[in-house]
Amino acid sequence: MSKPVILTGVRANNDIHIGNYFGAILPIVDMAKRRSADFDINLFIPDLHSFTTPIDHSKLYDSILNNARIYTAAGLPLDNPAIHLYRQSRVPAHSELAWILDCFTGFGEMSRMTQFKDKSDKLHGDQISVGLFNYPVLMAADILLYGATYVPVGDDQTQHLEFTRDIAERMNRKFGNLFVVPKPVAQQHQFFGNDQGLRIKDLMNPTKKMSKSNDSGKGIIFLGDEPQIAHKKIMSATTDSLGKVQYDRDNQPGIANLLEILTLVRQDAGRDVSLEQTISEYAGMERYGDFKRIVADEVAEFLANFQAHLAAVDEQAIESKLESSEHDMNLVANETLHRVQTAVGLRR
């Protein structure tokens, strides 16, 4: 790569929700546009990660392409040569490097991964796959193939990034200078700062982040929801018995969540408004139903506008971007893989 590399991506889900959009996708697009002058931005679609847990495989291919469409609708500039948009599975070096790294990774290391424990607790028997168990090794391959220095990660992924650093340093000690070691977690957070978005909470259980796996969908607003359905979900959101709008994450998590959502949709609409200004505007309001209706109306408007942008994306431009990026990424990844293959004795 001609410049230092930032690598990031969002798993291709069947249903991307506003938590994904405001917490990851929009910050990624904004970061890519601002930092592409100084960095190569590797924005990959981690489709091989998509079935570490059970999914509907008949919908996967469309979900992968929809991931690219959503980035584009969110404003990703497809004509920027420093931004690379590619599918993980179209660069076979990801899979081969993961296997090589597997063979230098301890069973105990993977057993200590909290994400594996959390996700496997929700599954049964053979649903708990080897792929879920060694997911962090594939993530390490995703990063190390391109010499990525910076990788924006949430709190649930910091352990995986630490493992990536560990396996890179282990391989470097054993075989020489094979990999660029990404920056430690503290430096990652310092570098990205506000590039990482707010974590929207579940409408039904506002103490937990909005997540597809948490409930039946009543507390989640999907980007594909009809605006009137989203309106109803907001009107049914859990609040409290205090009867006063104020920002108190501990005692009024539902109201705090709605204040954050309202701020985010207003910012997305181009309004120059901060969370503090939204809090001040509605502080002390006593009729929760009236406040919810304000939030519901603006969320419905956001969805209608976003869905119009999504319907208008240039499919051919997306296909062209994917193909050109995948060609370039194969060249970079294969060079790294060949260096590793030589080091472990597979090549000369």
Side-chain angles (χ1 to χ4, degrees), residues 147-262:
T149 307
Y150 291 105
V151 185
V153 292
D155 292 340
D156 58 345
Q157 295 289 324
T158 56
Q159 196 177 21
H160 297 171
L161 183 60
E162 289 167 353
F163 166 74
T164 300
R165 286 174 45 80
D166 290 344
I167 191 66
E169 290 172 345
R170 183 179 311 156
M171 297 293 284
N172 287 351
R173 285 194 299 269
K174 187 173 182 66
F175 297 108
N177 190 25
L178 289 180
F179 297 119
V180 173
V181 180
K183 299 292 185 184
V185 171
Q187 289 186 38
Q188 299 282 350
H189 290 328
Q190 182 180 18
F191 176 78
F192 288 108
N194 292 332
D195 286 345
Q196 300 185 78
L198 292 170
R199 294 291 182 243
I200 292 177
K201 304 297 184 179
D202 189 280
L203 296 175
M204 294 290 100
N205 185 354
T207 62
K208 294 183 177 181
K209 71 176 184 178
M210 188 174 285
S211 171
K212 184 181 174 183
S213 61
N214 278 355
D215 62 15
S216 63
K218 293 180 180 178
I220 308 167
I221 297 175
F222 296 106
L223 291 181
D225 277 348
E226 293 181 7
Q228 60 267 34
I229 297 297
H231 196 283
K232 290 179 181 178
K233 289 180 178 180
I234 294 287
M235 295 304 297
S236 300
T238 298
T239 51
D240 54 68
S241 60
L242 297 179
K244 183 178 290 187
V245 173
Q246 53 192 359
Y247 190 80
D248 185 339
R249 263 284 170 211
D250 294 328
N251 298 309
Q252 294 181 268
I255 291 296
N257 191 40
L258 293 176
L259 285 164
E260 290 183 355
I261 291 172
L262 181 59

Side-chain angles (χ1 to χ4, degrees), residues 65-66 69 72 78 310-322:
L65 291 181
N66 194 50
R69 294 186 192 105
T72 306
L78 299 180
L310 190 63
V313 298
D314 186 339
E315 299 282 346
Q316 185 56 49
I318 292 173
E319 289 282 357
S320 177
K321 181 67 172 180
L322 288 170

